Amino acid sequence: MQSSKAVIMALFSEDQTQETNRRGRIEIICGSMFSGKTEELIRRLKRAKFAKQKVEIFKPTVDSRYSQCDVVSHDKNYINSTPVDSSSSILLLASDVDVVGIDEAQFFDLGIVDVCNELANMGIRVIVAGLDMDFKGTPFGPIPHLCAIADEVSKVHAICVKCGQLALYSHRTVNCNKQVLLGETERYEPLCRKCYLKALKQQNTLKEA
Ligand SMILES: [Zn+2]
């Protein structure tokens, strides 16, 4: 049996060689809201910085929840970032770096897939964080495509607020059908599959009543 340390190392790619030998690769950190995606992205990027690597971080301009120029996690941990309008801008801005971080990647256009491949082919380590599913449980934007082309995918989980199991859904607690509801993190709750289905059922019963 693998030791728990070995499992953690595999999950969070603690492989030393990645940080010392420059090698192009794509890492995806995906999961529901409140699963710690951004925290994990920041952790990996900070480690690369400590290793004196040149790091550049991008996020889509649509995500202005906390700050225009920083990647900020829910617990207010942050790292400086550049907001960009489209995925193609990343290629223009990411010259001469060792590591590229991309946060809230679900909001980018599908072009982000080719951009990540191009960066990795140039020898850059690309670390992407994003929501894998929207509030309806549908794969979100380019994330499934990015998972397909990635060298490594880490699916992180929140904790279900109803039962304490691992949560994979971001359940929306208000009645709104738009896919994107920005700046409204308090209107979501992480739920496990069982509790998510139960919540949907209850909502449908309320609608019909
Ligand atoms: Zn649950």
Side-chain angles (χ1 to χ4, degrees):
M1 210 183 90
Q2 265 184 307
S3 73
S4 59
K5 196 179 170 201
V7 172
I8 290 165
M9 281 180 75
L11 184 61
F12 293 116
S13 68
E14 302 278 29
D15 181 3
Q16 288 287 318
T17 55
Q18 281 171 39
E19 313 225 343
T20 48
N21 302 338
R22 189 183 151 106
R23 244 191 342 194
R25 56 184 269 118
I26 301 169
E27 298 163 32
I28 310 292
I29 306 159
C30 66
S32 68
M33 292 177 74
F34 315 110
S35 61
K37 298 181 298 295
T38 301
E39 287 83 353
E40 176 57 18
L41 174 70
I42 291 174
R43 193 187 71 86
R44 291 187 197 182
L45 294 172
K46 281 192 170 168
R47 266 177 56 129
K49 278 193 168 183
F50 288 138
K52 302 265 186 291
Q53 296 189 325
K54 208 168 165 220
V55 176
E56 204 70 66
I57 306 116
F58 302 95
K59 65 174 187 177
T61 42
V62 66
D63 180 47
S64 56
R65 273 182 306 194
Y66 305 96
S67 157
Q68 255 329 35
C69 302
D70 300 321
V71 165
V72 188
S73 64
H74 292 300
D75 63 4
K76 307 286 187 288
N77 195 356
Y78 78 99
I79 195 162
N80 289 330
S81 78
T82 308
V84 287
D85 285 326
S86 76
S87 59
S88 52
S89 313
I90 297 177
L91 271 185
L92 299 173
L93 295 166
S95 55
D96 193 34
V97 296
D98 303 300
V99 183
V100 165
I102 302 172
D103 197 24
E104 302 288 357
Q106 74 276 4
F107 294 134
F108 275 110
D109 51 286
L110 271 181
I112 192 79
V113 179
D114 285 341
V115 167
C116 288
N117 254 335
E118 259 188 73
L119 291 170
N121 293 348
M122 285 155 62
I124 295 171
R125 179 181 175 203
V126 186
I127 314 173
V128 184
L131 275 173
D132 51 3
M133 289 187 274
D134 65 13
F135 75 102
K136 288 179 172 171
T138 309
F140 208 142
I143 300 295
H145 302 266
L146 289 167
C147 286
I149 59 148
D151 296 74
E152 180 200 294
V153 177
S154 305
K155 181 141 175 164
V156 287
H157 296 86
I159 297 297
C160 176
V161 293
K162 305 278 188 206
C163 74
Q165 295 290 313
L166 289 182
L168 69 161
Y169 294 103
S170 312
H171 178 241
R172 188 177 282 175
T173 53
V174 290
N175 193 7
C176 169
N177 224 16
K178 268 170 61 186
Q179 189 184 37
V180 180
L181 201 61
L182 283 171
E184 305 280 355
T185 51
E186 71 278 9
R187 298 195 174 173
Y188 293 90
E189 58 184 9
L191 293 180
C192 71
R193 184 180 295 276
K194 198 175 160 195
C195 297
Y196 178 72
L197 290 175
K198 203 170 151 190
L200 285 189
K201 233 179 181 175
Q202 277 170 355
Q203 274 175 345
N204 286 335
T205 317
L206 282 175
K207 268 185 213 160
E208 282 161 19

